[in-house]
């Protein structure tokens, strides 16, 4: 218990960010029309690809002789990049369909 | 100097994510919003590769990093460009699963690092060396990431018609039991002999994978977009755990932003289909898992 309280005190800055970001996240997409649900999901999917930064740090810090860390870290970088690149490209292609089209058609979500 | 530039990169990244998400929720600006977020992401990634340092030490293993980015980038671009318009949601699910796997792998490496450091100290508990908060971020990233990965893979299989809906009587109970087992294994890993902690850690990850499969398996194929959106917000939370782990603000903001927006989006998608989230997830113990995800943060 004590160590958890200590950890909260130590990371209070981060915890403030978490709480504020929850409100920002809810506020920002509050008025999205239902045609954009799927592209927004896809865009959010690309944004959480930011986890790749963690993968890069893990990979960069790995001891060159520790093959477990090297292989796992390498896999993390590959799948993280897949998430980021694939996510943004797919979102872009989805939104391409909206160009010059009316709002009503093409919900694209099933 | 370089570290302050990196901080600036992260700041730009965080702000572009928020603005990008805002623009994505308006049809007129959606496409530019996506590009803006992508630009911010690129800045943050390049900044990390070249400017990141810890205790005055720069990152190494550049061939591995660039090799990984190159392979992931090429496969990601090709598969995203080739996929048919009708198959988009399953592609999103696939990429979402990749993000979850990435978060879980990061946690695995970090745990391996701790294990390698302390394994020689016999008959001592992990809790003697590692603060509870630090362990919590590692194990939460591993569990949520694994659930998201396994669930997304099942969702992908269902949408592409490879996996059929399967449910059996008493599945709620089984799912709940597996979830409890995951949590129990997570606690035992912390309160157990360091020498064999890694086995328990991998057991936790394995159980989390099984839970992810069981969680999505009974849900009907037509409800998959909602489930993908939910798993999307799970991955966001897993990414935020990484942010806590490395004290990295851009990962934290990006992850939590997606976690919060994704949860709201899930609810809105349900509403658009005239259903409640509980209704969609009735085949599994949905409510329990989302509160667990929120609590694990």
């Amino acid at each position: 218990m004590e160590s958890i309280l200590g950890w909260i005190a130590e990371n209070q800055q981060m915890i403030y960010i978490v709480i504020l970001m929850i409100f920002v996240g809810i506020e920002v997409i509050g008025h999205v029309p239902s045609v954009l649900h799927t592209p927004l999901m896809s865009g959010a999917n690309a944004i959480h690809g930011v986890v790749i930064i963690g993968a890069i740090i893990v990979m960069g810090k790995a001891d060159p002789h520790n093959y477990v860390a090297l292989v796992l870290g390498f896999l993390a970088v590959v799948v993280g990049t897949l998430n980021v690149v694939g996510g943004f490209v797919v979102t872009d292609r989805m939104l391409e369909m909206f160009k010059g089209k009316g709002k009503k058609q093409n919900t694209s979500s099933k | 100097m370089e570290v302050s530039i990196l901080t600036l990169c992260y700041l730009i990244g965080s702000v572009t994510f928020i603005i990008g998400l805002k623009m994505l929720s308006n049809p007129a600006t959606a496409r530019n919003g996506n590009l803006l977020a992508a630009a911010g992401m690129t800045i943050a990634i390049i900044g990390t590769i070249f400017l990141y340092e810890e205790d005055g030490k720069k990152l190494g293993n550049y061939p591995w990093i660039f090799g990984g980015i190159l392979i992931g980038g090429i496969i990601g671009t090709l598969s995203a460009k080739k996929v048919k318009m009708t198959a988009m949601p399953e592609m999103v699910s696939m990429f979402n699963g990749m993000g979850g796997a990435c978060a879980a792998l990061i946690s695995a490496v970090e745990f391996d690092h701790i294990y390698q450091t302390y394994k020689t100290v016999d008959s001592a508990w992990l809790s003697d060396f590692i603060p509870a908060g630090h362990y919590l971020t590692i194990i939460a990233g591993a569990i949520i990431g694994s659930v998201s990965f396994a669930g997304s893979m099942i969702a992908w299989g269902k949408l592409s018609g490879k996996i059929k809906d399967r449910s059996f009587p008493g599945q709620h109970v089984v799912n709940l039991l597996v979830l409890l087992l995951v949590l129990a294994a997570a606690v035992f890993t912390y309160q157990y002999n360091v020498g064999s902690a890694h086995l328990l850690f991998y057991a936790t990850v394995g159980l989390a994978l099984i839970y992810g499969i069981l969680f999505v398996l009974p849900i009907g194929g037509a409800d998959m977009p909602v489930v993908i959106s939910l798993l999307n917000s799970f991955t966001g939370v897993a990414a935020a755990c990484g942010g806590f782990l490395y004290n990295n603000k851009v990962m934290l903001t990006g992850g939590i932003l997606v976690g919060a927006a994704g949860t709201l989006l899930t609810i809105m998608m349900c509403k658009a289909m005239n259903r409640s989230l509980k209704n969609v997830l009735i085949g599994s113990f949905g409510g329990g898992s989302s509160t667990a995800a929120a609590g694990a943060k």
Side-chain angles (χ1 to χ4, degrees):
Chain A
M1 191 66 211
E2 211 173 285
S3 76
I4 296 223
L5 284 178
W7 182 78
I8 289 176
E10 224 171 86
N11 292 287
Q12 53 158 314
Q13 226 188 25
M14 309 287 271
I15 293 166
Y16 272 99
I17 295 179
V18 167
I19 293 166
L20 291 176
M21 273 303 145
I22 292 175
F23 284 105
V24 171
I26 292 173
E27 203 56 42
V28 145
I29 66 150
H31 304 289
V32 60
S34 59
V35 265
L36 278 177
H37 279 173
T38 309
L40 184 62
M41 175 175 86
S42 178
N45 170 48
I47 288 174
H48 74 50
V50 73
V51 69
I52 191 191
I53 287 178
I56 293 172
I57 294 174
V58 149
M59 185 77 256
K61 284 199 307 190
D63 177 5
H65 302 291
N66 182 353
Y67 286 102
V68 177
L70 280 182
V71 171
L72 290 183
F74 180 70
L75 269 179
V77 172
V78 172
V79 293
T81 318
L82 267 176
N83 187 184
V84 174
V85 177
F88 281 121
V89 175
V90 162
T91 313
D92 193 55
R93 276 193 62 196
M94 270 186 204
L95 292 169
E96 212 172 12
M97 297 191 304
F98 284 84
K99 215 168 50 180
K101 280 187 183 174
K103 273 188 189 177
K104 278 176 196 160
Q105 41 182 318
N106 229 327
T107 331
S108 88
S109 69
K110 288 183 195 169
Chain B
M1 177 67 188
E2 283 186 343
V3 177
S4 5
I5 296 175
L6 183 60
T7 311
L8 191 65
C9 289
Y10 285 165
L11 193 62
I12 294 171
S14 299
V15 173
T16 55
F17 292 165
I18 299 172
I19 299 175
L21 211 53
K22 176 85 195 160
M23 288 166 82
L24 265 170
S25 56
N26 184 337
T29 53
R31 209 172 172 198
N32 287 333
N34 183 47
L35 293 178
L36 184 71
M41 183 75 80
T42 315
I43 291 172
I45 290 174
I46 292 177
T48 309
I49 295 176
F50 293 108
L51 301 174
Y52 185 88
E53 55 181 53
E54 196 178 85
D55 307 329
K57 242 174 72 183
K58 289 247 178 196
L59 293 177
N61 300 323
Y62 278 123
W64 289 78
I65 294 177
F66 286 118
I69 290 179
L70 203 65
I71 294 173
I74 290 172
I75 300 176
T77 316
L78 285 184
S79 50
K81 287 248 180 217
K82 268 193 184 157
V83 65
K84 285 198 209 91
M85 281 300 173
T86 48
M88 285 291 189
E90 62 205 64
M91 211 60 207
V92 173
S93 176
M94 172 78 146
F95 290 136
N96 179 43
M98 293 299 121
C102 185
L105 284 168
I106 291 170
S107 290
V109 176
E110 280 301 317
F111 190 87
D112 183 65
H113 180 69
I114 291 175
Y115 169 69
Q116 299 292 349
T117 316
Y118 296 112
K119 69 174 173 186
T120 45
V121 193
D122 220 26
S123 68
W125 289 4
L126 202 62
S127 51
D128 294 342
F129 313 107
I130 311 296
H134 188 71
Y135 174 73
L136 196 67
T137 49
I138 293 181
I139 202 78
I143 293 175
I144 303 173
S146 307
V147 169
S148 179
F149 169 66
S152 298
M153 286 301 115
I154 298 292
W156 170 74
K158 278 199 176 188
L159 282 178
S160 55
K162 291 192 181 85
I163 299 171
K164 298 240 158 49
D165 303 350
R166 269 195 207 106
S167 56
F168 50 86
Q171 183 141 18
H172 298 60
V173 183
V174 174
N175 282 5
L176 186 62
L177 277 178
V178 174
L179 184 63
L180 286 177
L181 270 177
V182 172
L183 298 179
V187 173
F188 270 124
T189 313
Y190 192 50
Q191 307 279 17
Y192 201 72
N193 196 327
V194 183
S196 40
H198 65 302
L199 293 175
L200 271 167
F201 176 80
Y202 291 123
T204 312
V205 171
L207 283 167
L209 288 172
I210 294 172
Y211 179 73
I213 295 171
L214 289 175
F215 171 64
V216 180
L217 211 50
I219 299 172
D223 289 330
M224 272 309 128
V226 175
V227 176
I228 294 171
S229 176
L230 187 66
L231 292 170
N232 192 22
S233 63
F234 279 12
T235 314
V237 175
C241 289
F244 257 108
L245 204 55
Y246 300 113
N247 202 3
N248 187 314
K249 306 285 193 297
V250 75
M251 281 172 81
L252 189 71
T253 47
I256 293 292
L257 197 62
V258 174
T263 310
L264 180 62
L265 184 63
T266 312
I267 297 168
M268 288 199 294
M269 282 169 104
C270 286
K271 273 197 190 138
M273 297 198 311
N274 250 334
R275 307 196 45 182
S276 72
L277 186 58
K278 209 172 148 196
N279 211 332
V280 171
L281 299 174
I282 202 78
S284 66
F285 213 86
S289 86
S290 51
T291 41
K297 237 169 8 191

